[in-house]
Amino acid sequence: MSFGQGGPSWGPGGTGTPDWAALAEASAARARRKRWLMIGGGALATAAVAAIVATAVISANKDDSGGSSGKNASELPSATDLPSQSTQPEPSFSSVAPAPPPDPKDYISDVRKDRAPVTVDAFFPGKKLTMGDRVYTKGATHRTTKCATTTQGALGTILTNNGCDQVVRATYSRSGVAVTIGLAVFGTEAQAKKAAQQASGGLASLSGAGVPTFCRGGAVCRRTANSYGRYAYFTVGGFTNGKNVTKSDKNVFAVGDDLTDFTFRQIRHRGEVQASAAATAAP
């Protein structure tokens, strides 16, 4: 292209002015083609989205109607999947309260229930008695149905009048002190309790088996009387050298208290054993 004196040249020959009307019409035609292309592309996109939505709706309808193998979002089991009612019987509970366990004291309060044998070894077993750190040697023992012969003073008559059945005695000694414990057996608790409350005079000491005569010939000794269940138990204790007992002789009191405590435990244990056996045998 060359530039002369008259300005730029246009057209094939390089001379003349441009056709402004033709240029304007060509530009308009290009704009119309572009607009139609855009409209056509939008319509195609709209149609594609519609097709996708329609496909999704059809698939969802198939799931809801059971026509598809997939499960819906709720994941609910069918009726056949629900567990049926159990045929096992329901647990039942008794409205009757269980019977209370037997009272051990009931079995040593009446001869009709207290059926265990009454022997020396049943109440005073072994050759020694240990209470804490104190050890006592067992001496002579004795059992008789002639209750009055085991007593001194008025106690014999009291035992007989209250229906005494038998008396079991045992003597224990330690460090120059000896104590005889006597267990008087009655038919009922009321009889034993009355005999202990009326006690006067006392139990006769039992010597022998290494224990010399004690608490005889006017010697002052300590005497006790107690009862539990159908048993009344008595003690007489003092020095084996014949010395009189005073309130300051705590060793004599200690031996008597130990034997009294031991005898009470033996009677209670007798009731516990019989009550336990009755509870085991009950249906």
Side-chain angles (χ1 to χ4, degrees):
M1 181 181 295
S2 61
F3 293 91
Q5 184 178 3
S9 62
W10 304 91
T15 61
T17 59
D19 188 348
W20 300 110
L23 292 173
E25 184 177 353
S27 176
R30 288 192 300 269
R32 284 195 299 273
R33 284 195 302 270
K34 185 176 182 180
R35 184 167 59 252
W36 282 112
L37 288 173
M38 292 179 66
I39 293 172
L44 288 173
T46 301
V49 171
I52 293 172
V53 172
T55 301
V57 170
I58 292 171
S59 298
N61 287 338
K62 287 183 178 180
D63 289 342
D64 291 342
S65 62
S68 173
S69 61
K71 294 183 179 180
N72 58 31
S74 63
E75 296 291 336
L76 292 175
S78 64
T80 57
D81 295 334
L82 296 175
S84 60
Q85 185 175 2
S86 174
T87 59
Q88 297 295 326
E90 295 184 358
S92 60
F93 301 93
S94 174
S95 59
V96 180
D103 185 353
K105 191 177 180 183
D106 289 344
Y107 288 84
I108 44 90
S109 295
D110 193 306
V111 67
R112 291 172 296 182
K113 284 190 174 183
D114 186 14
R115 307 303 296 173
V118 176
T119 64
V120 171
D121 287 338
F123 290 95
F124 309 112
K127 296 181 179 181
K128 294 181 181 295
L129 172 64
T130 301
M131 299 290 289
D133 59 350
R134 299 173 299 279
V135 179
Y136 304 104
T137 301
K138 186 169 74 172
T141 61
H142 181 253
R143 173 179 174 270
T144 181
T145 57
K146 299 178 180 180
C147 300
T149 62
T150 65
T151 66
Q152 290 181 319
L155 184 59
T157 301
I158 294 171
L159 296 183
T160 301
N161 290 344
N162 283 289
C164 178
D165 178 65
Q166 58 183 305
V167 173
V168 177
R169 287 183 296 168
T171 296
Y172 291 85
S173 63
R174 178 175 182 263
S175 302
V177 174
V179 174
T180 296
I181 178 97
L183 189 71
V185 185
F186 297 84
T188 66
E189 179 180 15
Q191 291 173 322
K193 186 175 182 180
K194 188 175 181 180
Q197 291 174 340
Q198 295 177 343
S200 178
L203 187 71
S205 64
L206 181 65
S207 59
V211 179
T213 300
F214 67 101
C215 293
R216 297 291 182 97
V220 177
C221 292
R222 186 196 183 210
R223 303 178 187 275
T224 66
N226 295 278
S227 71
Y228 186 71
R230 70 186 189 105
Y231 301 90
Y233 46 105
F234 309 88
T235 67
V236 54
F239 295 104
T240 57
N241 61 6
K243 175 185 173 183
N244 290 333
V245 176
T246 66
K247 291 183 179 180
S248 63
D249 293 317
K250 302 301 181 183
N251 53 340
V252 176
F253 285 74
V255 178
D257 291 345
D258 279 347
L259 285 180
T260 297
D261 184 38
F262 174 74
T263 303
F264 166 77
R265 293 183 188 182
Q266 289 294 93
I267 299 171
R268 185 177 62 183
H269 179 67
R270 180 183 177 90
E272 291 170 347
V273 170
Q274 294 183 93
S276 178
T280 303

